[in-house]
Amino acid sequence: MAPPLPLIFLLMIHRVSSSDWGVNYSHLYICALKNSSVIMSCNYTYPTGYKIEKVFWTKNPVNCENSPDLSEDPEYSQRLQYLGDKQQNCTIRLSHVTQKDSHMYYFRFTTDKPDGKWTGKPGVNLTVTDLQVEAPERVTEGQNVSLTCKSSCALTDRATFIWYRNSQPLTERRDRNNQLLLQSVRREDAGRYRCALQEHTYISPAVYLSVTYPPKHTFVAVSPCCELVEGNSVNLSCNSDSYPPALNFSWFKGGTFVGSGRIYSISKISSNHSGEYKCKSITEHGEKYSDAVTLNVTCVGCLVKLYTTGVVCGAAVVIMMVLIWVKKRKDTQESQMNQSKLQAPVGNLTESVYENLMVFT
C-alpha cells in the first residue's frame, strides 16, 4: 500500500533539504587597493548523490538561472583564476582590480540533476579603493605637520604604508601607520608627497606641501657695479629669500628713509648721493634688513679742475728750474772771466822782471 502523499512530499524535502546545500565565504566584505590582487575564499556543500558539473563565479545576478560566468567575460577572463576544485573549495583570485570591479560577487554551481543548482547568497561585497594624501596646503617653518594616507574604505589586508617626497622614499616617524609626522618643518620639507602600501605597485597622486618662511639673506645689488661717475644713472635692487616672495621693500640712506619698491633708481647721480644704503624686505611672516653698501661718486668737474691746476703748477716748477739753471750758468761764466783778468797782469809783470834781470847781468 502506497504511503500517503504528504509523507512522500516530506521525504523529498528531507532528501534535498537546504541544510545540505550551501556556500560559506571567508569574508563577506573585502576592501582592496587599486591594482592589487584579491582572493575570495569559500567552501560549498551539496547532498550526497549529486555530481558537480559546473562551478563558476558571477556578479550582481538578476536571474540566477541565467547568471553569467565571469571567466567567459572579456573584462575578467584574463584576470580571474579559479583556485578551487569541483568538490568543496571555490576560491578565486582576481588580479589588477580597479574601481570598476566594485560589485557583489557570488559563487554558483550546478549538478547532474535538474534540481541540483545553487547560488551562494549573500555573496562577497568587493570595494576597490585608491589612496589619497591629506595634508595642509601650507605650513609655516618651525611648525609640526601631519600627513595622512587615506582610502575610501578600511583595507582588509594588513597594510604597511610607505611615503615619498619628490619620488624619494622617506624614513620619518609615522603615527598610526598611515600618518607621516614632520616635526619642526624646514623649507627643505616643501615638495610633492605620495603614499603607497608596501609590496604594492600603486602609488597615490601627489600633493604639494608649501612651507612659508620670513625673508632671509637680504642683500643689495648695484648696477652698474663699478665706478660711479657724476651725471650717470644707477639702480639698486633689493633681493631676499622668502616664501611667499616679498612684495614690499623700503630703502634707507644712513638711517633716513629714501624710497620704496624692489628697485631704487638714481637717474643723475652726484657727489651728494655718496653714502651707505640698505634695504628692508617685508612679508606677512617677518622682515629683514640687508647689509649696507657704500656708493662713492666721482666728480667729473673736480677731476678737470684738479688736472688743470696740476698742469699749471708743473709748468711753473719747470720754468723756475730753467731760470735757476740759466742763472747758475751765467754766474759760472762771469766767475771764469774775472779769474782770467786777474791772471793776465801777473804774467806780464813776471816777464818784465825777467827781462830787467837779464840786462843787469
Side-chain angles (χ1 to χ4, degrees):
M1 180 176 178
L5 183 61
L7 181 59
I8 296 176
F9 181 74
L10 289 175
L11 290 174
M12 292 178 61
I13 293 290
H14 176 72
R15 187 163 61 101
V16 292
S17 171
S18 60
S19 62
D20 295 331
W21 301 83
V23 177
N24 180 37
Y25 301 101
S26 298
H27 297 94
L28 296 178
Y29 178 79
I30 296 177
C31 175
L33 181 63
K34 179 181 177 181
N35 206 36
S36 66
S37 293
V38 176
I39 292 181
M40 302 182 197
S41 300
C42 70
N43 292 295
Y44 60 102
T45 59
Y46 51 93
T48 303
Y50 287 76
K51 182 180 179 181
I52 299 296
E53 288 191 340
K54 185 175 182 180
V55 294
F56 64 95
W57 282 74
T58 186
K59 66 177 182 179
N60 303 333
V62 177
N63 183 352
C64 292
E65 294 297 325
N66 297 316
S67 299
D69 183 351
L70 292 182
S71 64
E72 299 174 358
D73 187 330
E75 291 187 7
Y76 289 87
S77 59
Q78 299 299 318
R79 300 184 294 127
L80 186 66
Q81 181 181 7
Y82 187 79
L83 304 177
D85 51 37
K86 288 189 175 182
Q87 296 177 355
Q88 292 181 329
N89 195 329
C90 49
T91 301
I92 59 168
R93 177 190 289 117
L94 183 61
S95 305
H96 306 293
V97 294
T98 67
Q99 278 89 343
K100 291 171 57 178
D101 294 324
S102 296
H103 295 287
M104 289 290 299
Y105 292 85
Y106 305 89
F107 174 69
R108 179 170 171 78
F109 63 91
T110 61
T111 67
D112 56 345
K113 296 181 171 39
D115 62 343
K117 300 177 182 179
W118 192 265
T119 299
K121 292 184 179 182
V124 177
N125 184 4
L126 173 63
T127 301
V128 180
T129 183
D130 58 4
L131 298 176
Q132 299 289 334
V133 175
E134 187 177 78
E137 284 187 17
R138 186 173 294 181
V139 62
T140 302
E141 190 175 43
Q143 292 181 337
N144 296 338
V145 62
S146 180
L147 287 72
T148 304
C149 188
K150 301 189 69 175
S151 57
S152 61
C153 56
L155 294 168
T156 303
D157 294 336
R158 185 175 179 179
T160 299
F161 291 83
I162 53 179
W163 289 86
Y164 299 88
R165 179 176 62 234
N166 299 330
S167 301
Q168 298 299 317
L170 298 177
T171 58
E172 281 86 345
R173 183 169 66 87
R174 297 165 179 79
D175 288 341
R176 295 198 302 274
N177 195 35
N178 68 326
Q179 289 187 326
L180 175 69
L181 178 63
L182 302 177
Q183 294 182 320
S184 190
V185 172
R186 305 165 298 164
R187 69 189 69 185
E188 292 81 8
D189 292 323
R192 301 173 65 84
Y193 285 82
R194 300 171 184 264
C195 66
L197 293 183
Q198 201 166 29
E199 299 180 356
H200 285 74
T201 59
Y202 177 78
I203 301 178
S204 73
V207 170
Y208 192 85
L209 177 68
S210 298
V211 179
T212 62
Y213 53 91
K216 296 184 178 181
H217 311 301
T218 302
F219 66 94
V220 175
V222 182
S223 178
C225 63
C226 303
E227 183 178 359
L228 302 178
V229 180
E230 188 178 47
N232 289 350
S233 61
V234 62
N235 290 325
L236 281 69
S237 61
C238 190
N239 303 274
S240 68
D241 176 21
S242 65
Y243 188 82
L247 300 177
N248 297 319
F249 302 89
S250 298
W251 289 92
F252 302 86
K253 180 184 179 186
T256 304
F257 174 79
V258 293
S260 59
R262 199 180 77 83
I263 305 295
Y264 179 64
S265 299
I266 305 174
S267 57
K268 292 185 179 180
I269 198 167
S270 67
S271 57
N272 294 331
H273 293 109
S274 295
E276 290 188 341
Y277 291 80
K278 62 182 177 181
C279 70
K280 180 170 66 173
S281 176
I282 308 167
T283 70
E284 60 181 310
H285 301 288
E287 57 186 40
K288 178 73 173 178
Y289 281 93
S290 71
D291 292 334
V293 296
T294 301
L295 297 186
N296 293 316
V297 183
T298 302
C299 176
V300 177
C302 297
L303 285 175
V304 173
K305 183 177 180 181
L306 179 62
Y307 176 76
T308 304
T309 303
V311 170
V312 172
C313 292
V317 170
V318 171
I319 292 172
M320 185 176 294
M321 292 179 66
V322 171
L323 291 175
I324 293 173
W325 180 80
V326 171
K327 187 175 183 303
K328 282 186 176 182
R329 181 174 179 81
K330 183 177 181 181
D331 291 344
T332 301
Q333 289 177 348
E334 289 180 354
S335 176
Q336 289 176 350
M337 289 178 63
N338 291 335
Q339 196 171 22
S340 298
K341 290 180 180 180
L342 290 174
Q343 290 177 353
V346 173
N348 294 336
L349 178 58
T350 303
E351 183 179 351
S352 176
V353 172
Y354 177 76
E355 289 177 354
N356 290 333
L357 287 174
M358 290 296 293
V359 171
F360 179 77
T361 302

